[in-house]
């Protein structure tokens, strides 16, 4: 359905409004980040300049140009994942444990960026490996989420059987989502954050919680990497364990998103699809496609064993307009 005098359908108008809000959201985020982090950055720059000036005063034999050249080389190496601090005695970046950790960040699209391929052959292999590994990871995670939906929908069935006569189905679905989110936050955010805070000498609980969130949401800023502190004990085992945590945590994150999108009232993305115009402009289609809509359902005619007689089954309409628990329960969750 198009709006008169405009030539745009309703979904396009909603999409334009969403795009405008999105741009405003980016501008607002940039302004807040600039206001919060700008003074901190200026402070760090002043401290670094003072440190450099003190170094040159104490070591007058070192020219400022030579020091600048050394700093640039150190920064370039650090950006490529090669650290100049105790680099000789530390474990190499491409040991098996480190390489396994890097492979997991590539195929899960986390991409910390703290370690990158240095050779041309490594860059070519990384491209091919990611082209195969990313779809393979999505297939694996999707299959795991499908299995995990079985106990999740069993929990939803239990809540419907116990609370269906007291609360609306939408409220039960919200309770179900709250339980799943609580499980995600407790097992994959709070507990791992406490573990990382105890293992990493320079991380507090907030830093560890920040790392868990940035990683499991696949943002992967790379400012905090577990196991990279000097003389980290059992570093290869630590990296392998972190890889397992990331894979399991991403699976449960996808499960939580699936449970969220299974609630029709919370799936706001449907309002911006073009096919939404097919129903919003026709009240009868809205009534027919709404679960538990008021009004008698269509009669069903059943053949009676080939005798030619037909039995007409009529279903009475419900007195209220709220859907039953069965109407809002996913198909694979219904008994």
């Amino acid at each position: 359905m198009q709006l008169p005098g405009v030539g745009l359908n309703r979904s396009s108008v909603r999409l334009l409004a969403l795009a405008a809000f999105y741009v405003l959201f980016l501008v607002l985020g940039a302004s807040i980040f600039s206001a919060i982090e700008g003074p901190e950055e200026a402070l760090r720059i002043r401290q670094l300049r003072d440190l450099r000036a003190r170094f040159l005063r104490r070591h007058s034999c070192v020219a400022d140009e030579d020091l600048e050249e050394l700093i640039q080389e150190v920064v370039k190496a650090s950006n490529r994942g090669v650290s100049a601090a105790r680099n000789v005695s530390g474990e190499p970046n491409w040991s098996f444990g480190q390489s396994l950790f890097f492979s997991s960040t590539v195929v899960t699209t986390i991409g910390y960026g703290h370690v990158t391929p240095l050779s041309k052959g490594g860059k070519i292999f990384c491209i091919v490996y990611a082209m195969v590994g990313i779809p393979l990871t999505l297939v694996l995670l999707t299959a795991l989420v499908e299995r995990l939906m079985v106990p999740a929908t069993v929990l939803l069935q239990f809540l419907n059987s116990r609370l269906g006569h007291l609360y609306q189905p939408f409220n039960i679905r919200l309770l179900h989502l709250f339980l799943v989110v609580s499980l995600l936050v407790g097992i994959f955010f709070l507990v791992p954050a406490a573990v990382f805070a105890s293992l990493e000498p320079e991380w507090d609980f907030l830093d560890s919680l920040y790392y868990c969130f940035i990683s499991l949401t696949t943002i992967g800023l790379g400012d905090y990497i577990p196991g990279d502190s000097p003389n980290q004990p059992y570093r290869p085992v630590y990296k392998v364990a972190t890889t397992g945590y990331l894979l399991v945590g991403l699976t449960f994150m996808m499960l939580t998103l699936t449970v969220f999108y299974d609630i029709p009232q919370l799936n706001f993305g449907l309002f911006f699809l073009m096919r939404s115009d097919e129903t919003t402009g026709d009240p009868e289609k809205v009534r027919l496609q709404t679960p538990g809509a008021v009004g008698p359902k269509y009669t069903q005619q059943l053949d009676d064993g080939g005798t030619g007689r037909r039995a007409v089954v009529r279903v009475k309409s419900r007195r209220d307009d709220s859907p039953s628990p069965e109407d809002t329960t996913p198909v694979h969750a219904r008994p």
Side-chain angles (χ1 to χ4, degrees):
M1 178 179 179
Q2 293 184 344
L3 297 180
V6 179
L8 295 176
N9 52 34
R10 294 184 178 181
S11 64
S12 298
V13 173
R14 297 191 196 104
L15 182 58
L16 290 175
L18 177 63
F21 175 78
Y22 186 76
V23 172
L24 178 63
F25 183 76
L26 292 178
V27 172
L28 178 63
S31 302
I32 294 177
F33 278 123
S34 178
I36 295 176
E37 296 297 329
E40 182 69 20
E41 181 188 24
L43 176 62
R44 297 293 178 91
I45 292 176
R46 289 195 300 268
Q47 292 175 347
L48 186 59
R49 288 177 176 174
D50 293 340
L51 180 62
R52 176 173 177 165
R54 287 197 302 268
F55 178 85
L56 291 175
R57 286 195 300 268
R58 293 177 182 177
H59 305 84
S60 57
C61 60
V62 178
D64 184 66
E65 294 78 8
D66 296 336
L67 179 60
E68 179 68 20
E69 183 180 355
L70 175 62
I71 292 175
Q72 289 181 359
E73 291 299 326
V74 170
V75 170
K76 289 179 181 179
S78 178
N79 292 336
R80 302 297 297 275
V82 179
S83 175
R86 300 183 182 181
N87 191 50
V88 177
S89 60
E91 183 181 353
N93 288 328
W94 296 103
S95 62
F96 178 78
Q98 284 277 65
S99 300
L100 180 63
F101 183 73
F102 172 78
S103 300
S104 67
T105 61
V106 170
V107 298
T108 56
T109 68
I110 296 176
Y112 291 122
H114 67 300
V115 175
T116 57
L118 302 177
S119 64
K120 293 183 178 180
K123 295 175 181 177
I124 295 174
F125 178 74
C126 184
I127 294 174
V128 177
Y129 186 76
M131 291 177 61
V132 177
I134 292 176
L136 181 63
T137 303
L138 292 177
V139 171
L140 174 63
L141 295 182
T142 302
L144 292 175
V145 169
E146 183 180 358
R147 268 69 175 179
L148 290 176
M149 281 299 294
V150 175
T153 50
V154 169
L155 175 60
L156 180 58
Q157 283 183 334
F158 175 79
L159 295 176
N160 279 330
S161 63
R162 296 294 182 177
L163 304 175
H165 62 289
L166 298 175
Y167 301 100
Q168 295 293 329
F170 175 66
N171 295 331
I172 298 177
R173 297 295 292 271
L174 288 181
L175 175 61
H176 179 247
L177 177 63
F178 173 77
L179 294 177
V180 174
V181 171
S182 300
L183 194 63
L184 170 70
V185 173
I187 297 180
F188 295 99
F189 284 94
L190 298 181
V191 173
V195 174
F196 284 126
S198 63
L199 294 178
E200 296 292 334
E202 298 181 356
W203 294 13
D204 56 19
F205 183 79
L206 178 59
D207 295 332
S208 302
L209 183 62
Y210 167 81
Y211 164 77
C212 294
F213 177 81
I214 293 298
S215 298
L216 294 187
T217 53
T218 68
I219 298 174
L221 295 178
D223 47 350
Y224 288 92
I225 307 296
D228 278 1
S229 59
N231 301 321
Q232 179 72 46
Y234 306 106
R235 189 180 186 187
V237 178
Y238 190 13
K239 289 288 186 178
V240 173
T242 304
T243 301
Y245 159 72
L246 293 177
L247 293 176
V248 177
L250 285 175
T251 303
F252 208 88
M253 178 69 74
M254 288 185 62
L255 172 67
T256 305
L257 294 177
T258 302
V259 173
F260 176 83
Y261 283 114
D262 271 348
I263 304 178
Q265 294 88 338
L266 299 181
N267 195 352
F268 300 107
L270 297 177
F271 289 99
F272 306 100
L273 300 179
M274 289 191 296
R275 64 174 176 265
S276 64
D277 297 317
E278 300 177 1
T279 58
T280 54
D282 190 343
E284 180 66 13
K285 289 184 178 181
V286 174
R287 188 187 69 81
L288 293 178
Q289 295 186 6
T290 302
V294 180
K297 295 183 178 180
Y298 292 106
T299 59
Q300 300 176 358
Q301 294 184 343
L302 306 176
D303 289 332
D304 189 9
T307 60
R309 295 177 298 172
R310 294 180 180 272
V312 179
V313 180
R314 299 183 181 275
V315 182
K316 295 182 179 180
S317 61
R318 289 190 292 273
R319 288 175 294 178
D320 60 348
D321 59 351
S322 61
S324 67
E326 292 79 5
D327 290 333
T328 58
T329 303
V331 176
H332 55 275
R334 298 177 185 175

